[in-house]
Amino acid sequence: MASKRKRAAVDGGKKPKLELALDSEKQAEFEEKVKEIKAKAVNGSREGRGVIYLKHIPHGFYEPQMKRFFSQFGTVTRLRLSRSKKSGNSKGFAYIEFEFEEVAKVVAETMNNYLMYHKLLKCEFIPKERIWPDLFKGCNRMFKKPIAHKLALERHNSLAKNPERMEKSRKKLIRKQKRTKNRLRAMGIDWEFDGYSDPEADSKTDDTAEAKPEQAKESDEATPPKKMKKDNKESSPPKKTKKDNKESSPPKKTKKDNKESSSPKKTKKDR
């Protein structure tokens, strides 16, 4: 223990450097080169790698199937299938990196217009100028289906347990509804639709509804009652019907009466 303390006191309490250059003047350059080599060892050297762009990917052809299929051409170093953030479903295109650039070019030529599950795959080699740093971001992560919709449901259902938040959300919805109605009136559209109920507005309408019948009663007491149609009919004389007209009119002469009244015609014997 005493010997370790003595060494620490001599070095000034600092750890000794493990990487030492032969020339003390070039120590800084040597340390930078060592850092670069370590970074390449961790991330892997990307020099000489080839990247292809694959689109029109059919449903069911996902990361494990793609890696297994393209491994027959060469070693696949990185693979990223583009997915939706909300649903987690495939967007139908992917980026695949191979260990050698020549292998990537061969894959792009052979797999272009390749029929798979009633779809024509489109494959294209991407040069280094078109590759950006975040192209394979999150490629080594295990895919997990997003649960944002479940969290939103839990957040929405938690409103019922908190009455203050419930009241805030209700007021917010009523304000939004009023804004839409005012916007429609400004456009010249007078349209009343059933929406969220406002208790203050409902109480005002109830008060006006109660006041209206009282005003109607006062006006009924002040104005005299109007004559009904039935009373007018009783006061007016009865109208003559067709039967009464027939009884009052003299009877019409028939053909028999005309023959009896006319003078008898002279026969040949009378002549």
Side-chain angles (χ1 to χ4, degrees), residues 9-253:
V10 171
D11 296 333
K14 294 180 181 180
K15 290 182 180 180
K17 291 181 180 179
L18 298 173
E19 296 88 15
L20 293 170
L22 296 172
D23 191 357
S24 59
E25 294 177 358
K26 296 180 179 179
Q27 181 64 34
E29 292 179 11
F30 179 73
E31 285 178 3
E32 285 179 6
K33 282 182 180 180
V34 169
K35 283 181 184 177
E36 286 176 7
I37 291 162
K38 282 184 177 179
K40 284 180 181 180
V42 172
N43 301 323
S45 179
R46 301 299 170 200
E47 292 179 6
R49 303 284 172 96
V51 180
I52 62 163
Y53 169 64
L54 190 71
K55 62 180 180 178
H56 295 182
I57 297 168
H59 177 70
F61 194 54
Y62 301 137
E63 290 93 342
Q65 293 83 12
M66 288 170 73
K67 194 161 189 176
R68 208 179 305 127
F69 181 82
F70 286 102
S71 293
Q72 63 183 325
F73 296 100
T75 52
V76 177
T77 52
R78 289 188 295 179
L79 186 147
R80 185 175 75 86
L81 176 66
S82 187
R83 288 180 176 273
S84 172
K85 288 182 180 178
K86 288 184 179 179
S87 62
N89 296 330
S90 170
K91 290 184 178 180
F93 64 93
Y95 297 95
I96 305 165
E97 185 187 68
F98 291 92
E99 192 176 2
F100 300 104
E101 190 176 338
E102 292 78 12
V103 175
K105 287 178 180 177
V106 170
V107 173
E109 288 176 8
T110 54
M111 293 303 296
N112 193 30
N113 294 326
Y114 185 83
L115 184 65
M116 182 183 282
Y117 296 114
H118 305 286
K119 279 198 171 186
L120 279 174
L121 292 176
K122 295 292 178 183
C123 200
E124 182 187 349
F125 175 77
I126 302 173
K128 290 178 182 179
E129 299 82 32
R130 287 172 56 192
I131 297 169
W132 60 95
D134 295 334
L135 182 64
F136 290 96
K137 190 178 180 180
C139 63
N140 297 323
R141 247 180 305 173
M142 276 289 289
F143 170 70
K144 290 180 181 178
K145 200 157 188 179
I147 54 168
H149 60 288
K150 290 182 181 178
L151 295 172
L153 280 171
E154 288 175 7
R155 212 180 304 120
H156 179 74
N157 293 333
S158 66
L159 287 172
K161 297 176 184 177
N162 194 344
E164 291 180 1
R165 283 182 64 198
M166 194 80 175
E167 186 66 21
K168 278 184 181 179
S169 66
R170 190 184 61 77
K171 285 180 180 178
K172 189 178 178 182
L173 289 168
I174 289 164
R175 284 198 299 272
K176 193 175 179 182
Q177 181 180 291
K178 283 179 181 177
R179 263 186 257 121
T180 53
K181 284 184 177 180
N182 292 332
R183 216 177 293 126
L184 287 169
R185 285 196 197 98
M187 291 164 66
I189 301 166
D190 192 11
W191 179 43
E192 291 293 330
F193 54 88
D194 297 331
Y196 301 100
S197 60
D198 190 359
E200 294 177 2
D202 292 341
S203 62
K204 287 179 183 178
T205 52
D206 293 337
D207 295 337
T208 52
E210 288 173 2
K212 280 181 181 179
E214 290 177 0
Q215 291 175 1
K217 283 180 183 178
E218 290 175 1
S219 61
D220 291 340
E221 289 173 1
T223 55
K226 290 182 179 180
K227 288 183 178 181
M228 302 297 288
K229 288 184 178 181
K230 289 182 180 179
D231 300 334
N232 292 329
K233 284 180 180 179
E234 288 174 2
S235 61
S236 60
K239 291 182 179 180
K240 287 183 178 182
T241 58
K242 288 183 178 181
K243 289 182 180 179
D244 298 332
N245 290 328
K246 284 180 181 180
E247 289 174 0
S248 61
S249 61
K252 290 182 179 180
K253 288 183 178 182

